[in-house]
Amino acid sequence: MAGRFAPRPTRTTVRGGHVAVPADASGGVPRQAVAPGRTRTWTPPWPVDLGLVLGPLRRGPGDPTFRATPDGAVWRTSRTPAGAGTLRVSARGGVVRGEAWGPGSEWLLEQLPEMLGSADDPDAFEPRHRLVAIARHRRPGLRLMRTGLVLESLIPSVLEQKVTTDEAYRAWRLLVRKFGEPAPGPAPERMAVMPAPRTWALIPSWEWHRAGVDNKRASTILRAVRVAGRLEEAAGMEPGAAQARLELVSGIGPWTSAETVQRSHGAADSVTVGDLHLPGIVGYALAGDRDADDSVMLSLLEPYAGQRHRAARLILLSGRTPARRVPRMPRGDIGRL
């Protein structure tokens, strides 16, 4: 959950912020000596900020599927339609270099431009508030990525339903490391590819319990993986239609579907509703109303119709959040019961 209301690296601020990617250092950390994978270079006509664009894909600092390394690169693992793959992305001098390994390597490199925001159109956004305009000016590298993969964003979003950030990140980390497969190629230590749908379906009930996942969230994931093929088809739909298909699965509501399509589709207008703290953050930033609810938030974001998610991200990036005045949501661990 997003911290209330402190600019700390919690779920909401990470979703709106970015991962700190170290500057490219010549002669940085030595790479492992392995056979080279596939490579692709691409020169986007805009400034590239890997941490800002790819940051929403990271599910906590220990995410086995995401790593920012001291040499300035970002590593990701994905389960693509072609199979498991590892992708290393680096940017230097305005040129992006992608290296990929595994059966899904070709698919990952083909999707590289869209993953870095080539399908996004930030020029369609017109700031209506000074705070939003300043935030946009300070982050010219902000673009909304599109992964083209639904399940890899849906499952961790389900794990984040109505629990603290630490609980959700811990569950994702434990389950992927235990039931996923090692990342192909020379990936950093302990990186893994998330389990295949069938593997998710075969996880015993006690393993969900040990990971701190209650029966409601586990059952939602099990229902989703049983129709994984139909859900992945949603990647080719418009965001609204994709959300509607996701919400046909019991346990997936507007909050979860929005969190998913923001990443899988780069949905510029899919604002997150039902969040515990986002309405108060938006309300405080735009109207000084820290007690705003979803209806007030949507009213304040109405001038940004078509671009409401981008507006919300810029508000989060601005750092204008009210001071904390209530205790943080208590952390639970059902795995100890």
Side-chain angles (χ1 to χ4, degrees):
M1 303 295 290
R4 185 176 183 97
F5 284 105
R8 59 180 65 203
T10 55
R11 180 189 306 163
T12 300
T13 51
V14 168
R15 182 177 68 231
H18 69 283
V19 174
V21 177
D24 190 3
S26 300
V29 176
R31 299 281 304 284
Q32 299 180 34
V34 297
R38 298 175 181 270
T39 61
R40 175 180 182 176
T41 58
W42 175 58
T43 305
W46 60 79
V48 176
D49 187 329
L50 295 180
L52 188 60
V53 176
L54 300 179
L57 297 176
R58 184 184 69 162
R59 307 291 182 158
D63 186 349
T65 69
F66 190 106
R67 191 75 52 83
T69 52
D71 61 358
V74 170
W75 292 76
R76 286 196 69 236
T77 66
S78 292
R79 185 165 296 281
T80 76
T86 300
L87 176 67
R88 178 184 184 271
V89 186
S90 58
R92 189 171 186 177
V95 178
V96 173
R97 176 180 173 84
E99 300 173 79
W101 297 264
S105 59
E106 185 174 354
W107 191 94
L108 287 170
L109 291 177
E110 183 178 347
Q111 293 292 117
L112 179 62
E114 287 195 1
M115 192 182 74
L116 294 179
S118 67
D120 186 29
D121 182 15
D123 292 335
F125 181 77
E126 183 178 351
R128 303 287 185 175
H129 299 81
R130 184 172 183 272
L131 176 141
V132 176
I134 292 174
R136 182 193 189 194
H137 175 73
R138 289 177 175 173
R139 290 170 174 80
L142 175 63
R143 298 184 78 91
L144 303 181
M145 105 292 287
R146 182 184 188 281
T147 65
L149 297 170
V150 174
L151 220 60
E152 72 169 22
S153 293
L154 174 63
I155 292 176
S157 294
V158 172
L159 292 175
E160 292 174 1
Q161 291 176 350
K162 298 183 179 180
V163 295
T164 65
T165 306
D166 289 345
E167 290 175 86
Y169 289 166
R170 175 181 177 272
W172 174 249
R173 182 173 65 249
L174 293 178
L175 292 170
V176 172
R177 283 181 178 167
K178 187 162 188 175
F179 298 101
E181 61 185 84
E189 186 179 2
R190 304 197 73 186
M191 287 198 73
V193 183
M194 83 165 196
R198 178 169 173 76
T199 305
W200 284 111
L202 294 177
I203 294 177
S205 60
W206 58 86
E207 294 292 355
W208 292 104
H209 186 85
R210 288 172 179 171
V213 182
D214 58 77
N215 183 63
K216 183 176 181 179
R217 287 179 291 150
S219 297
T220 299
I221 292 173
L222 293 177
R223 286 190 290 267
V225 297
R226 290 188 188 112
V227 291
R230 296 287 288 166
L231 295 184
E232 288 294 355
E233 289 176 3
M237 300 178 176
E238 291 298 316
Q243 285 191 247
R245 175 167 291 193
L246 292 176
E247 290 172 23
L248 291 174
V249 178
S250 179
I252 298 177
W255 186 93
T256 307
S257 66
E259 288 287 305
T260 301
V261 301
Q262 287 167 7
R263 297 166 172 85
S264 62
H265 290 67
D269 195 48
S270 294
V271 62
T272 304
V273 295
D275 193 86
L276 183 58
H277 305 305
L278 183 61
I281 294 173
V282 172
Y284 180 79
L286 299 185
D289 181 6
R290 65 183 299 162
D291 298 313
D293 57 14
D294 279 337
S295 62
V296 174
M297 176 181 72
L298 293 175
S299 176
L300 291 171
L301 293 177
E302 184 59 32
Y304 300 105
Q307 297 282 320
R308 293 177 298 174
H309 169 53
R310 191 192 309 275
R313 279 204 67 190
L314 288 169
I315 290 169
L316 290 166
L317 287 167
S318 73
R320 181 172 171 76
T321 57
R324 182 188 301 277
R325 68 178 183 186
V326 296
R328 298 182 68 186
M329 182 177 178
R331 176 180 175 178
D333 186 358
I334 65 171
R336 295 185 178 183
L337 299 178

